[in-house]
Amino acid sequence: MSAVLWPVTARIVTALNDANGMGEHETAMRLMKVVEEAGEASAAYIGMTGQNPRKGVTHTRADVADELCDVIIAATVALHAFTTHPPAVLDAKLHAAARRLNADAPETR
């Protein structure tokens, strides 16, 4: 994971806290931002595949990747509102997912 992810995310959180406060409404807005960014990633994928015949192909793989990065950033910002140790929480979740993947692997004989 990028070494700058958490320090930069912390700076973003501080700037948002200074501008918007830290109340329940702001927490909800940060969570909804994750959903908004996920919608933009989905829209970019639809545009990349040309699924909408009226619009045709409007996006590239790079556009989808860019939008997915926005999802990750929004999620890490939102995570700060739900734990005092976001890097540790994400790290634990990532390792748990990897363990499940290994546990679900078929046995080889």
Side-chain angles (χ1 to χ4, degrees), residues 40-52 55-61 63-64:
E40 291 177 11
S42 296
Y45 184 81
I46 289 168
M48 183 192 83
T49 61
Q51 184 64 29
N52 183 338
K55 294 182 180 179
V57 174
T58 59
H59 290 77
T60 66
R61 293 182 75 81
D63 294 328
V64 177

Side-chain angles (χ1 to χ4, degrees), residues 30-74:
R30 293 179 194 183
L31 188 58
M32 285 190 280
K33 184 67 174 173
V34 177
V35 176
E36 176 194 13
E37 295 296 350
E40 291 177 11
S42 296
Y45 184 81
I46 289 168
M48 183 192 83
T49 61
Q51 184 64 29
N52 183 338
R54 185 176 57 80
K55 294 182 180 179
V57 174
T58 59
H59 290 77
T60 66
R61 293 182 75 81
D63 294 328
V64 177
D66 187 63
E67 294 298 343
L68 287 171
C69 289
D70 287 347
V71 173
I72 293 166
I73 294 165

Side-chain angles (χ1 to χ4, degrees), residues 2-109:
S2 173
V4 300
L5 175 67
W6 294 111
V8 172
T9 300
R11 286 199 340 252
I12 293 169
V13 169
T14 298
L16 289 172
N17 289 349
D18 290 347
N20 301 334
M22 299 169 47
E24 288 299 314
H25 177 74
E26 181 62 17
T27 297
M29 293 297 102
R30 293 179 194 183
L31 188 58
M32 285 190 280
K33 184 67 174 173
V34 177
V35 176
E36 176 194 13
E37 295 296 350
E40 291 177 11
S42 296
Y45 184 81
I46 289 168
M48 183 192 83
T49 61
Q51 184 64 29
N52 183 338
R54 185 176 57 80
K55 294 182 180 179
V57 174
T58 59
H59 290 77
T60 66
R61 293 182 75 81
D63 294 328
V64 177
D66 187 63
E67 294 298 343
L68 287 171
C69 289
D70 287 347
V71 173
I72 293 166
I73 294 165
T76 59
V77 167
L79 186 58
H80 278 80
F82 294 94
T83 179
T84 56
H85 302 290
V89 170
L90 179 59
D91 190 56
K93 186 68 173 182
L94 183 62
H95 288 288
R99 283 191 304 275
R100 282 193 310 275
L101 180 64
N102 290 335
D104 292 341
E107 291 184 32
T108 58
R109 292 186 180 197

